[in-house]
Coordinates of all heavy atoms in Angstrom, one line a residue:
M290 N 1.2 -2.1 -16.3 CA 1.4 -0.7 -16.0 C 2.8 -0.3 -16.5 O 3.4 0.6 -15.9 CB 1.2 -0.4 -14.6 CG -0.2 -0.5 -14.1 SD -0.4 0.2 -12.5 CE -1.7 -0.9 -11.9
Q291 N 3.2 -0.9 -17.5 CA 4.6 -0.6 -18.1 C 4.7 0.9 -18.5 O 5.8 1.5 -18.4 CB 4.9 -1.5 -19.2 CG 5.0 -2.9 -18.8 CD 5.0 -3.9 -20.0 OE1 4.8 -3.5 -21.1 NE2 5.4 -5.1 -19.8
Q292 N 3.6 1.5 -19.0 CA 3.7 2.8 -19.5 C 3.1 3.9 -18.6 O 2.9 5.0 -18.9 CB 3.0 2.9 -20.9 CG 3.5 2.0 -21.9 CD 5.0 2.3 -22.2 OE1 5.4 3.4 -22.3 NE2 5.8 1.2 -22.3
G293 N 2.9 3.5 -17.4 CA 2.3 4.4 -16.4 C 0.9 4.1 -16.1 O 0.3 3.2 -16.6
L294 N 0.3 4.9 -15.2 CA -1.0 4.7 -14.7 C -2.0 5.6 -15.5 O -1.8 6.8 -15.6 CB -1.1 5.1 -13.3 CG -2.2 4.6 -12.4 CD1 -2.4 3.1 -12.5 CD2 -2.0 5.1 -11.0
E295 N -2.9 5.0 -16.2 CA -3.9 5.8 -17.0 C -4.8 6.5 -16.1 O -5.1 6.0 -14.9 CB -4.7 4.8 -17.9 CG -3.8 4.2 -19.0 CD -4.6 3.2 -19.9 OE1 -5.8 3.2 -19.7 OE2 -3.9 2.5 -20.6
E296 N -5.4 7.6 -16.5 CA -6.3 8.4 -15.7 C -7.4 7.6 -15.0 O -7.7 7.8 -13.9 CB -6.8 9.6 -16.5 CG -7.6 10.6 -15.6 CD -6.8 11.3 -14.6 OE1 -5.6 11.5 -14.7 OE2 -7.4 11.7 -13.5
G297 N -8.1 6.8 -15.8 CA -9.2 6.0 -15.3 C -8.8 5.1 -14.2 O -9.5 4.9 -13.2
L298 N -7.7 4.5 -14.4 CA -7.2 3.5 -13.3 C -6.7 4.3 -12.1 O -6.9 3.9 -11.0 CB -6.1 2.7 -13.9 CG -5.6 1.5 -13.1 CD1 -6.8 0.6 -12.7 CD2 -4.5 0.7 -13.8
Y299 N -6.1 5.5 -12.4 CA -5.6 6.3 -11.3 C -6.8 6.7 -10.4 O -6.6 6.7 -9.1 CB -4.9 7.6 -11.8 CG -4.5 8.5 -10.8 CD1 -3.4 8.3 -10.0 CD2 -5.2 9.7 -10.5 CE1 -3.0 9.2 -9.0 CE2 -4.9 10.6 -9.5 CZ -3.7 10.3 -8.8 OH -3.4 11.2 -7.8
Q300 N -7.9 7.0 -11.0 CA -9.1 7.4 -10.2 C -9.6 6.3 -9.3 O -10.4 6.5 -8.4 CB -10.2 7.9 -11.1 CG -9.9 9.1 -11.9 CD -9.5 10.3 -11.1 OE1 -10.2 10.5 -10.0 NE2 -8.6 11.1 -11.5
Q301 N -9.2 5.0 -9.6 CA -9.7 3.9 -8.8 C -8.7 3.4 -7.7 O -9.0 2.5 -7.0 CB -9.9 2.7 -9.7 CG -11.1 3.0 -10.7 CD -11.3 1.8 -11.6 OE1 -11.5 0.7 -11.2 NE2 -11.2 2.1 -12.9
V302 N -7.6 4.1 -7.6 CA -6.5 3.7 -6.6 C -7.1 3.8 -5.2 O -6.8 2.8 -4.4 CB -5.3 4.5 -6.8 CG1 -4.3 4.3 -5.6 CG2 -4.6 4.2 -8.1
A303 N -7.8 4.8 -4.9 CA -8.3 4.9 -3.5 C -9.3 3.8 -3.1 O -9.4 3.5 -1.9 CB -9.0 6.3 -3.3
T304 N -9.9 3.2 -4.1 CA -10.8 2.1 -3.8 C -10.3 0.8 -4.4 O -11.0 0.0 -4.9 CB -12.2 2.4 -4.4 OG1 -12.1 2.7 -5.8 CG2 -12.8 3.6 -3.7
Y305 N -9.0 0.6 -4.4 CA -8.3 -0.5 -5.0 C -8.8 -1.9 -4.6 O -8.8 -2.8 -5.4 CB -6.8 -0.5 -4.7 CG -6.5 -0.8 -3.2 CD1 -6.3 -2.2 -2.8 CD2 -6.3 0.1 -2.3 CE1 -6.0 -2.5 -1.5 CE2 -6.0 -0.2 -1.0 CZ -5.9 -1.5 -0.6 OH -5.6 -1.8 0.7
A306 N -9.3 -2.0 -3.4 CA -9.8 -3.3 -2.9 C -11.1 -3.7 -3.5 O -11.5 -4.9 -3.4 CB -9.8 -3.3 -1.4
E307 N -11.8 -2.8 -4.0 CA -13.2 -3.0 -4.6 C -13.1 -3.2 -6.1 O -12.3 -2.6 -6.7 CB -14.1 -1.8 -4.3 CG -14.2 -1.5 -2.8 CD -14.7 -0.1 -2.5 OE1 -15.2 0.6 -3.5 OE2 -14.6 0.3 -1.4
G308 N -13.9 -4.1 -6.6 CA -13.9 -4.3 -8.0 C -12.7 -5.0 -8.6 O -11.9 -5.6 -7.9
G309 N -12.7 -5.0 -9.9 CA -11.6 -5.8 -10.6 C -10.6 -5.0 -11.3 O -10.0 -5.5 -12.3
A310 N -10.4 -3.8 -11.0 CA -9.4 -2.9 -11.7 C -8.0 -3.4 -11.5 O -7.1 -3.1 -12.3 CB -9.6 -1.5 -11.3
F311 N -7.7 -4.0 -10.3 CA -6.4 -4.4 -10.0 C -6.3 -5.9 -9.8 O -7.2 -6.5 -9.3 CB -5.9 -3.6 -8.7 CG -5.9 -2.2 -8.9 CD1 -6.9 -1.4 -8.5 CD2 -4.8 -1.5 -9.5 CE1 -7.0 0.0 -8.7 CE2 -4.8 -0.2 -9.7 CZ -5.9 0.6 -9.3
S312 N -5.1 -6.5 -10.1 CA -4.9 -7.9 -9.8 C -4.8 -8.1 -8.3 O -4.6 -7.1 -7.5 CB -3.6 -8.3 -10.5 OG -2.4 -7.7 -9.8
E313 N -4.8 -9.3 -7.9 CA -4.7 -9.7 -6.4 C -3.3 -9.2 -5.9 O -3.2 -8.7 -4.8 CB -4.9 -11.1 -6.2 CG -6.4 -11.6 -6.4 CD -7.4 -10.8 -5.6 OE1 -7.2 -10.6 -4.4 OE2 -8.4 -10.3 -6.2
A314 N -2.3 -9.4 -6.7 CA -0.9 -9.0 -6.3 C -0.9 -7.4 -6.2 O -0.3 -6.9 -5.2 CB 0.1 -9.4 -7.3
E315 N -1.5 -6.7 -7.1 CA -1.5 -5.2 -7.0 C -2.3 -4.8 -5.8 O -1.9 -3.9 -5.1 CB -2.1 -4.6 -8.3 CG -1.2 -4.8 -9.5 CD -1.9 -4.5 -10.8 OE1 -3.2 -4.6 -10.9 OE2 -1.2 -4.1 -11.7
K316 N -3.4 -5.5 -5.5 CA -4.2 -5.1 -4.3 C -3.4 -5.4 -3.0 O -3.4 -4.6 -2.1 CB -5.5 -6.0 -4.2 CG -6.5 -5.6 -5.3 CD -7.7 -6.5 -5.2 CE -8.8 -6.2 -6.3 NZ -9.9 -7.1 -6.2
L317 N -2.7 -6.5 -3.0 CA -1.9 -6.8 -1.9 C -0.7 -5.8 -1.7 O -0.4 -5.4 -0.6 CB -1.3 -8.2 -2.0 CG -0.6 -8.8 -0.8 CD1 -1.5 -8.7 0.5 CD2 -0.3 -10.3 -1.0
A318 N -0.1 -5.4 -2.8 CA 0.9 -4.3 -2.7 C 0.4 -3.0 -2.1 O 1.0 -2.4 -1.3 CB 1.5 -4.1 -4.1
A319 N -0.8 -2.7 -2.6 CA -1.5 -1.4 -2.0 C -1.8 -1.6 -0.6 O -1.6 -0.7 0.2 CB -2.7 -1.1 -2.9
E320 N -2.3 -2.8 -0.2 CA -2.6 -3.0 1.2 C -1.3 -3.0 2.0 O -1.3 -2.4 3.1 CB -3.2 -4.4 1.4 CG -3.5 -4.8 2.8 CD -4.0 -6.2 3.0 OE1 -4.5 -6.9 2.1 OE2 -3.8 -6.7 4.1
T321 N -0.3 -3.5 1.5 CA 1.0 -3.4 2.2 C 1.5 -2.0 2.4 O 1.9 -1.7 3.5 CB 2.1 -4.2 1.4 OG1 1.7 -5.6 1.2 CG2 3.5 -4.1 2.0
A322 N 1.3 -1.2 1.4 CA 1.7 0.3 1.6 C 0.8 0.9 2.7 O 1.3 1.6 3.5 CB 1.5 1.0 0.3
E323 N -0.5 0.6 2.7 CA -1.4 1.2 3.7 C -1.0 0.7 5.1 O -0.9 1.5 6.0 CB -2.8 0.9 3.4 CG -3.4 1.7 2.3 CD -4.9 1.5 2.1 OE1 -5.4 0.5 2.6 OE2 -5.5 2.4 1.5
R324 N -0.8 -0.6 5.2 CA -0.5 -1.1 6.5 C 0.9 -0.6 7.0 O 1.0 -0.4 8.2 CB -0.5 -2.7 6.4 CG -1.9 -3.2 6.2 CD -1.9 -4.7 6.1 NE -1.8 -5.2 7.5 CZ -2.1 -6.4 7.9 NH1 -2.5 -7.3 7.0 NH2 -1.9 -6.8 9.1
F325 N 1.8 -0.5 6.1 CA 3.1 0.0 6.5 C 3.0 1.4 7.0 O 3.6 1.8 8.0 CB 4.0 0.0 5.3 CG 5.5 0.4 5.6 CD1 6.4 -0.6 5.8 CD2 5.8 1.7 5.6 CE1 7.7 -0.2 6.1 CE2 7.1 2.1 5.9 CZ 8.1 1.2 6.1
C326 N 2.1 2.2 6.4 CA 2.0 3.6 6.9 C 1.2 3.7 8.2 O 1.5 4.5 9.0 CB 1.2 4.4 5.8 SG 2.1 4.7 4.3
W327 N 0.1 2.9 8.3 CA -0.7 3.1 9.5 C -0.3 2.3 10.7 O -0.5 2.8 11.8 CB -2.2 2.7 9.1 CG -2.8 3.6 8.1 CD1 -3.1 3.4 6.8 CD2 -3.3 5.0 8.4 NE1 -3.7 4.5 6.3 CE2 -3.8 5.5 7.2 CE3 -3.2 5.8 9.5 CZ2 -4.3 6.8 7.1 CZ3 -3.8 7.0 9.5 CH2 -4.3 7.5 8.3
D328 N 0.1 1.1 10.5 CA 0.4 0.2 11.7 C 1.4 -0.9 11.3 O 1.1 -2.1 11.3 CB -0.9 -0.4 12.2 CG -0.7 -1.0 13.6 OD1 0.4 -0.9 14.2 OD2 -1.6 -1.7 14.1
H329 N 2.6 -0.5 11.0 CA 3.6 -1.5 10.5 C 3.9 -2.5 11.5 O 4.2 -3.7 11.1 CB 4.9 -0.7 10.1 CG 5.6 0.0 11.2 ND1 5.2 1.2 11.7 CD2 6.6 -0.4 12.0 CE1 5.9 1.5 12.7 NE2 6.8 0.6 12.9
E330 N 3.8 -2.3 12.8 CA 4.1 -3.3 13.8 C 3.1 -4.4 13.8 O 3.5 -5.6 14.0 CB 4.2 -2.6 15.2 CG 5.4 -1.7 15.3 CD 5.5 -1.0 16.7 OE1 4.5 -1.1 17.4 OE2 6.5 -0.4 16.9
A331 N 1.9 -4.1 13.4 CA 0.8 -5.2 13.4 C 1.1 -6.2 12.2 O 0.7 -7.3 12.3 CB -0.6 -4.6 13.3
M332 N 1.8 -5.7 11.2 CA 2.1 -6.5 10.1 C 3.0 -7.7 10.5 O 2.8 -8.8 9.9 CB 2.9 -5.7 9.0 CG 2.0 -4.7 8.3 SD 3.0 -3.6 7.3 CE 3.5 -4.7 5.9
M333 N 3.9 -7.5 11.4 CA 4.8 -8.5 11.7 C 4.2 -9.8 12.2 O 4.7 -10.9 12.0 CB 5.8 -8.0 12.8 CG 6.7 -6.8 12.2 SD 8.0 -6.3 13.4 CE 7.0 -5.6 14.7
S334 N 3.1 -9.7 13.0 CA 2.5 -11.0 13.5 C 1.3 -11.4 12.8 O 0.6 -12.4 13.3 CB 2.2 -10.7 15.0 OG 1.3 -9.6 15.1
D335 N 1.0 -10.9 11.7 CA -0.2 -11.2 11.0 C 0.1 -12.4 10.0 O 0.5 -12.2 8.9 CB -0.8 -10.0 10.2 CG -2.1 -10.3 9.5 OD1 -2.5 -11.5 9.3 OD2 -2.8 -9.3 9.2
E336 N -0.2 -13.6 10.5 CA 0.2 -14.8 9.7 C -0.6 -14.9 8.4 O -0.1 -15.3 7.4 CB 0.0 -16.0 10.6 CG 1.0 -16.1 11.7 CD 0.8 -17.3 12.6 OE1 0.1 -18.3 12.1 OE2 1.3 -17.3 13.7
D337 N -1.9 -14.5 8.4 CA -2.7 -14.6 7.2 C -2.1 -13.6 6.1 O -2.0 -14.0 5.0 CB -4.1 -14.2 7.5 CG -5.0 -14.1 6.3 OD1 -5.2 -15.1 5.6 OD2 -5.5 -13.0 6.0
Y338 N -1.7 -12.4 6.6 CA -1.1 -11.5 5.7 C 0.1 -12.0 5.0 O 0.3 -12.0 3.8 CB -0.8 -10.2 6.4 CG 0.1 -9.2 5.7 CD1 -0.3 -8.5 4.6 CD2 1.5 -9.2 6.0 CE1 0.5 -7.7 3.9 CE2 2.3 -8.3 5.3 CZ 1.8 -7.6 4.3 OH 2.7 -6.8 3.6
W339 N 1.0 -12.6 5.8 CA 2.3 -13.1 5.3 C 2.0 -14.4 4.4 O 2.7 -14.5 3.4 CB 3.3 -13.5 6.4 CG 3.8 -12.2 7.0 CD1 3.5 -11.7 8.2 CD2 4.6 -11.2 6.3 NE1 4.1 -10.5 8.4 CE2 4.8 -10.2 7.2 CE3 5.2 -11.2 5.1 CZ2 5.6 -9.1 6.9 CZ3 6.0 -10.1 4.8 CH2 6.2 -9.0 5.7
A340 N 1.0 -15.2 4.7 CA 0.7 -16.3 3.8 C 0.3 -15.7 2.4 O 0.7 -16.3 1.4 CB -0.4 -17.1 4.4
R341 N -0.6 -14.7 2.4 CA -1.0 -14.1 1.2 C 0.2 -13.5 0.4 O 0.3 -13.6 -0.8 CB -2.1 -13.1 1.4 CG -3.4 -13.7 1.9 CD -4.5 -12.7 2.1 NE -4.3 -11.7 3.1 CZ -4.2 -10.4 3.0 NH1 -4.3 -9.9 1.8 NH2 -4.0 -9.6 4.0
M342 N 1.1 -12.8 1.2 CA 2.3 -12.3 0.5 C 3.1 -13.3 -0.2 O 3.5 -13.2 -1.3 CB 3.1 -11.5 1.6 CG 2.6 -10.2 2.0 SD 2.5 -8.9 0.7 CE 4.3 -8.4 0.7
K343 N 3.3 -14.5 0.5 CA 4.1 -15.6 0.0 C 3.4 -16.2 -1.3 O 4.1 -16.8 -2.1 CB 4.4 -16.6 1.0 CG 5.2 -16.1 2.2 CD 6.6 -16.1 1.7 CE 7.5 -15.8 3.0 NZ 8.9 -15.9 2.6
E344 N 2.1 -16.1 -1.4 CA 1.4 -16.6 -2.5 C 1.7 -15.8 -3.8 O 1.7 -16.3 -4.9 CB -0.1 -16.6 -2.3 CG -0.7 -17.6 -1.4 CD -2.2 -17.5 -1.2 OE1 -2.9 -17.0 -2.2 OE2 -2.7 -17.8 -0.2
H345 N 1.9 -14.5 -3.6 CA 2.0 -13.6 -4.7 C 3.4 -13.1 -5.0 O 3.7 -12.6 -6.1 CB 1.1 -12.4 -4.6 CG -0.4 -12.8 -4.6 ND1 -1.0 -13.1 -5.8 CD2 -1.2 -13.0 -3.6 CE1 -2.3 -13.4 -5.5 NE2 -2.4 -13.4 -4.2
F346 N 4.3 -13.1 -4.0 CA 5.6 -12.5 -4.1 C 6.7 -13.4 -3.6 O 6.5 -14.2 -2.6 CB 5.7 -11.2 -3.4 CG 4.7 -10.2 -3.8 CD1 3.6 -9.9 -3.0 CD2 4.8 -9.5 -5.0 CE1 2.6 -9.0 -3.4 CE2 3.9 -8.6 -5.4 CZ 2.8 -8.3 -4.6
T347 N 7.9 -13.4 -4.2 CA 9.1 -14.1 -3.7 C 9.6 -13.3 -2.5 O 9.2 -12.1 -2.3 CB 10.2 -14.2 -4.8 OG1 10.6 -12.8 -5.1 CG2 9.6 -14.9 -6.0
D348 N 10.5 -13.9 -1.8 CA 11.2 -13.1 -0.7 C 11.9 -11.9 -1.2 O 11.8 -10.8 -0.5 CB 12.2 -14.0 0.1 CG 11.5 -15.1 0.9 OD1 10.3 -15.0 1.1 OD2 12.2 -16.0 1.3
Q349 N 12.5 -12.0 -2.3 CA 13.2 -10.8 -2.9 C 12.2 -9.7 -3.3 O 12.4 -8.5 -3.0 CB 14.0 -11.2 -4.1 CG 14.7 -10.1 -4.8 CD 15.9 -9.6 -4.0 OE1 16.5 -10.4 -3.3 NE2 16.2 -8.3 -4.1
Q350 N 11.1 -10.1 -3.8 CA 10.1 -9.1 -4.2 C 9.5 -8.4 -3.0 O 9.2 -7.2 -3.0 CB 9.0 -9.7 -5.1 CG 9.4 -10.1 -6.4 CD 8.4 -10.9 -7.2 OE1 7.7 -11.8 -6.6 NE2 8.3 -10.7 -8.5
I351 N 9.3 -9.2 -1.9 CA 8.7 -8.7 -0.7 C 9.7 -7.6 -0.1 O 9.3 -6.5 0.3 CB 8.4 -9.8 0.4 CG1 7.3 -10.6 -0.1 CG2 8.2 -9.2 1.7 CD1 7.0 -11.9 0.7
L352 N 11.0 -8.0 -0.1 CA 12.0 -7.1 0.4 C 12.0 -5.8 -0.4 O 12.0 -4.7 0.1 CB 13.4 -7.7 0.4 CG 14.6 -6.8 0.7 CD1 14.5 -6.3 2.1 CD2 15.9 -7.6 0.5
E353 N 12.0 -5.9 -1.7 CA 12.0 -4.8 -2.6 C 10.7 -3.9 -2.4 O 10.8 -2.7 -2.4 CB 12.2 -5.2 -4.1 CG 13.5 -5.8 -4.4 CD 13.7 -6.3 -5.7 OE1 12.7 -6.2 -6.5 OE2 14.7 -6.9 -6.0
L354 N 9.6 -4.5 -2.3 CA 8.3 -3.8 -2.2 C 8.3 -3.0 -0.9 O 8.0 -1.8 -0.9 CB 7.1 -4.8 -2.2 CG 5.8 -4.2 -1.9 CD1 5.4 -3.1 -3.0 CD2 4.7 -5.3 -1.8
I355 N 8.7 -3.7 0.2 CA 8.6 -3.0 1.5 C 9.7 -1.9 1.6 O 9.5 -0.8 2.2 CB 8.7 -4.0 2.7 CG1 7.4 -4.8 2.7 CG2 8.9 -3.3 4.0 CD1 7.3 -5.9 3.7
T356 N 10.9 -2.2 1.0 CA 11.9 -1.1 1.0 C 11.5 0.1 0.2 O 11.7 1.2 0.6 CB 13.2 -1.7 0.4 OG1 13.6 -2.8 1.2 CG2 14.3 -0.7 0.4
L357 N 10.9 -0.2 -0.9 CA 10.4 1.0 -1.8 C 9.3 1.7 -1.0 O 9.3 3.0 -1.0 CB 9.8 0.5 -3.1 CG 9.2 1.5 -4.0 CD1 10.3 2.6 -4.4 CD2 8.7 0.9 -5.3
I358 N 8.4 1.0 -0.4 CA 7.3 1.7 0.4 C 8.0 2.6 1.5 O 7.6 3.7 1.7 CB 6.3 0.7 1.0 CG1 5.5 0.0 -0.1 CG2 5.4 1.4 2.0 CD1 4.7 -1.2 0.3
G359 N 8.9 2.0 2.2 CA 9.6 2.8 3.3 C 10.3 4.0 2.7 O 10.2 5.1 3.3
Y360 N 10.9 3.9 1.6 CA 11.6 5.0 1.0 C 10.6 6.1 0.6 O 10.7 7.3 0.9 CB 12.3 4.6 -0.3 CG 12.9 5.7 -1.1 CD1 14.1 6.3 -0.7 CD2 12.2 6.1 -2.2 CE1 14.6 7.4 -1.4 CE2 12.7 7.2 -3.0 CZ 13.9 7.8 -2.5 OH 14.4 8.9 -3.3
C361 N 9.5 5.7 0.0 CA 8.4 6.6 -0.4 C 7.8 7.3 0.8 O 7.5 8.5 0.7 CB 7.4 6.0 -1.3 SG 8.0 5.4 -2.9
V362 N 7.5 6.6 1.8 CA 6.9 7.2 3.0 C 7.9 8.2 3.6 O 7.6 9.3 4.0 CB 6.6 6.1 4.1 CG1 6.3 6.7 5.4 CG2 5.4 5.3 3.6
G363 N 9.2 7.8 3.7 CA 10.2 8.7 4.2 C 10.3 10.0 3.4 O 10.4 11.1 4.0
I364 N 10.4 9.9 2.1 CA 10.5 11.0 1.2 C 9.2 11.9 1.4 O 9.3 13.1 1.5 CB 10.7 10.6 -0.2 CG1 12.1 10.0 -0.4 CG2 10.5 11.8 -1.2 CD1 13.2 11.0 -0.2
G365 N 8.1 11.2 1.4 CA 6.8 12.0 1.5 C 6.8 12.8 2.8 O 6.4 14.0 2.8
R366 N 7.2 12.2 3.9 CA 7.2 12.9 5.2 C 8.3 14.0 5.2 O 8.0 15.1 5.8 CB 7.5 11.9 6.3 CG 6.2 11.0 6.5 CD 6.4 10.0 7.6 NE 5.2 9.2 7.6 CZ 5.0 8.1 8.4 NH1 6.0 7.7 9.2 NH2 3.9 7.4 8.4
T367 N 9.4 13.8 4.6 CA 10.4 14.8 4.4 C 9.9 16.0 3.7 O 10.0 17.2 4.1 CB 11.7 14.3 3.7 OG1 12.2 13.2 4.5 CG2 12.7 15.3 3.6
L368 N 9.2 15.8 2.5 CA 8.7 16.8 1.8 C 7.6 17.6 2.5 O 7.4 18.8 2.4 CB 8.1 16.3 0.4 CG 9.2 15.7 -0.5 CD1 8.5 15.1 -1.8 CD2 10.2 16.7 -0.9
A369 N 6.8 16.8 3.3 CA 5.7 17.5 4.1 C 6.3 18.3 5.2 O 5.8 19.5 5.4 CB 4.8 16.4 4.7
I370 N 7.3 17.9 5.9 CA 7.9 18.6 6.9 C 8.5 19.9 6.4 O 8.4 21.0 7.0 CB 9.0 17.8 7.6 CG1 8.4 16.7 8.5 CG2 9.9 18.7 8.5 CD1 9.3 15.6 8.9
L371 N 9.2 19.8 5.2 CA 9.8 21.0 4.6 C 8.8 21.8 3.8 O 9.2 22.8 3.2 CB 11.0 20.5 3.8 CG 12.1 19.8 4.6 CD1 13.2 19.3 3.7 CD2 12.6 20.7 5.7
D372 N 7.6 21.4 3.7 CA 6.6 22.0 2.9 C 7.1 22.2 1.4 O 6.9 23.3 0.8 CB 6.2 23.3 3.5 CG 4.9 23.9 2.9 OD1 4.0 23.0 2.4 OD2 4.7 25.1 2.9
I373 N 7.6 21.1 0.9 CA 8.1 21.2 -0.5 C 7.1 20.4 -1.4 O 6.6 19.3 -1.1 CB 9.5 20.5 -0.6 CG1 10.5 21.2 0.3 CG2 10.0 20.4 -2.0 CD1 11.8 20.5 0.4
A374 N 6.9 21.0 -2.6 CA 6.1 20.3 -3.6 C 4.7 19.8 -3.0 O 4.3 18.7 -3.2 CB 6.8 19.1 -4.2
N375 N 4.0 20.7 -2.4 CA 2.8 20.4 -1.8 C 1.6 20.8 -2.7 O 0.5 21.2 -2.2 CB 2.7 21.1 -0.4 CG 2.0 20.1 0.6 OD1 1.7 19.0 0.3 ND2 1.9 20.7 1.8
D376 N 1.8 20.8 -4.0 CA 0.8 21.2 -4.9 C -0.3 20.1 -5.3 O -1.3 20.4 -5.9 CB 1.4 21.7 -6.2 CG 2.3 22.9 -6.0 OD1 2.1 23.6 -5.0 OD2 3.3 23.0 -6.8
C377 N 0.0 18.9 -4.9 CA -0.9 17.8 -5.3 C -1.7 17.3 -4.0 O -1.1 16.7 -3.1 CB -0.1 16.7 -5.9 SG -1.1 15.3 -6.4
P378 N -3.0 17.6 -3.9 CA -3.7 17.1 -2.8 C -3.8 15.6 -2.7 O -3.8 14.9 -3.7 CB -5.1 17.7 -3.0 CG -5.2 17.9 -4.5 CD -3.8 18.2 -5.0
I379 N -3.8 15.1 -1.5 CA -3.8 13.6 -1.3 C -5.1 13.2 -0.7 O -5.6 13.8 0.3 CB -2.6 13.2 -0.4 CG1 -1.3 13.6 -1.0 CG2 -2.7 11.7 -0.1 CD1 -0.1 13.4 -0.1
N380 N -5.7 12.2 -1.3 CA -6.9 11.6 -0.7 C -6.5 10.4 0.1 O -6.1 9.4 -0.5 CB -7.9 11.2 -1.8 CG -8.5 12.4 -2.5 OD1 -8.7 13.4 -1.9 ND2 -8.8 12.2 -3.8
Q381 N -6.4 10.5 1.4 CA -5.9 9.4 2.2 C -7.0 8.4 2.4 O -8.2 8.7 2.5 CB -5.5 9.9 3.6 CG -4.3 10.8 3.5 CD -3.8 11.2 4.9 OE1 -4.6 11.2 5.8 NE2 -2.5 11.5 5.0
T382 N -6.6 7.2 2.4 CA -7.5 6.1 2.7 C -7.8 6.1 4.1 O -7.1 6.7 4.9 CB -6.9 4.7 2.2 OG1 -5.7 4.6 2.9 CG2 -6.7 4.6 0.7
P383 N -8.9 5.5 4.6 CA -9.3 5.5 6.0 C -8.3 4.8 6.9 O -7.6 3.9 6.5 CB -10.6 4.7 6.0 CG -11.1 4.6 4.6 CD -9.9 4.7 3.7
D384 N -8.2 5.4 8.1 CA -7.3 4.8 9.0 C -7.9 3.4 9.4 O -9.0 3.4 9.9 CB -7.2 5.7 10.2 CG -6.2 5.2 11.3 OD1 -5.9 4.0 11.3 OD2 -5.9 6.0 12.2
P385 N -7.1 2.3 9.2 CA -7.7 1.0 9.6 C -8.0 0.8 11.0 O -8.8 0.0 11.4 CB -6.6 0.0 9.1 CG -5.4 0.8 8.8 CD -5.8 2.2 8.6
A386 N -7.3 1.6 11.9 CA -7.7 1.5 13.3 C -9.1 2.0 13.6 O -9.8 1.5 14.5 CB -6.7 2.4 14.1
E387 N -9.6 2.9 12.7 CA -10.9 3.4 12.8 C -11.9 2.5 12.1 O -13.1 2.4 12.4 CB -11.0 4.8 12.3 CG -10.2 5.8 13.1 CD -10.2 7.2 12.5 OE1 -11.0 7.5 11.6 OE2 -9.3 8.0 13.0
D388 N -11.4 1.8 11.0 CA -12.3 1.0 10.2 C -11.5 -0.2 9.7 O -11.0 -0.3 8.6 CB -12.8 1.8 8.9 CG -13.7 0.9 8.0 OD1 -14.1 -0.2 8.5 OD2 -13.9 1.4 6.9
P389 N -11.3 -1.2 10.6 CA -10.5 -2.4 10.3 C -11.1 -3.3 9.1 O -10.4 -4.1 8.5 CB -10.5 -3.3 11.6 CG -11.5 -2.6 12.5 CD -11.9 -1.3 11.9
S390 N -12.4 -3.0 8.8 CA -13.0 -3.8 7.6 C -12.4 -3.2 6.3 O -12.7 -3.8 5.3 CB -14.5 -3.7 7.7 OG -14.9 -2.3 7.4
H391 N -11.6 -2.2 6.3 CA -11.1 -1.6 5.1 C -10.3 -2.6 4.3 O -10.3 -2.6 3.1 CB -10.3 -0.4 5.4 CG -9.6 0.2 4.2 ND1 -10.3 0.9 3.3 CD2 -8.3 0.2 3.8 CE1 -9.5 1.3 2.3 NE2 -8.3 0.9 2.6
Y392 N -9.5 -3.4 5.0 CA -8.7 -4.4 4.3 C -9.6 -5.6 3.8 O -10.2 -6.2 4.6 CB -7.6 -4.9 5.2 CG -6.6 -3.9 5.6 CD1 -6.4 -3.6 6.9 CD2 -6.0 -3.1 4.6 CE1 -5.5 -2.6 7.3 CE2 -5.1 -2.1 5.0 CZ -4.9 -1.9 6.3 OH -4.0 -0.9 6.7
V393 N -9.6 -5.8 2.5 CA -10.4 -6.9 2.0 C -9.4 -7.9 1.6 O -8.5 -7.7 0.8 CB -11.1 -6.4 0.7 CG1 -11.9 -7.5 0.1 CG2 -12.1 -5.3 1.1
H394 N -9.5 -9.1 2.1 CA -8.6 -10.2 1.8 C -9.2 -11.0 0.7 O -10.2 -11.6 1.0 CB -8.3 -11.0 3.1 CG -7.7 -10.2 4.2 ND1 -8.3 -10.1 5.4 CD2 -6.6 -9.3 4.2 CE1 -7.6 -9.3 6.2 NE2 -6.6 -8.8 5.5
G395 N -8.5 -11.0 -0.4 CA -9.1 -11.8 -1.6 C -8.6 -13.1 -1.5 O -8.8 -14.1 -2.0

């Protein structure tokens, strides 16, 4: 994805866990973002999740990924509170508390 996200691939982001459009590392990064947003505290004690993270990412990469996700969540919430740049509708993925089967572990 060096040159950005192509339209066809962008359309598959909401269903990243299904099919073969994304690598296992990309799926795990997307899962990390969702989990960070919905229930970050549950991430801390999920040994299976951390084992999968260690398979695909170094400690430095994990730190950078989670820091970037935190930054993006914070900026997104700031923009929402201030009602800034709200021209792009967001299709949210299901709340995993309502549908825990949403996370597909490859």
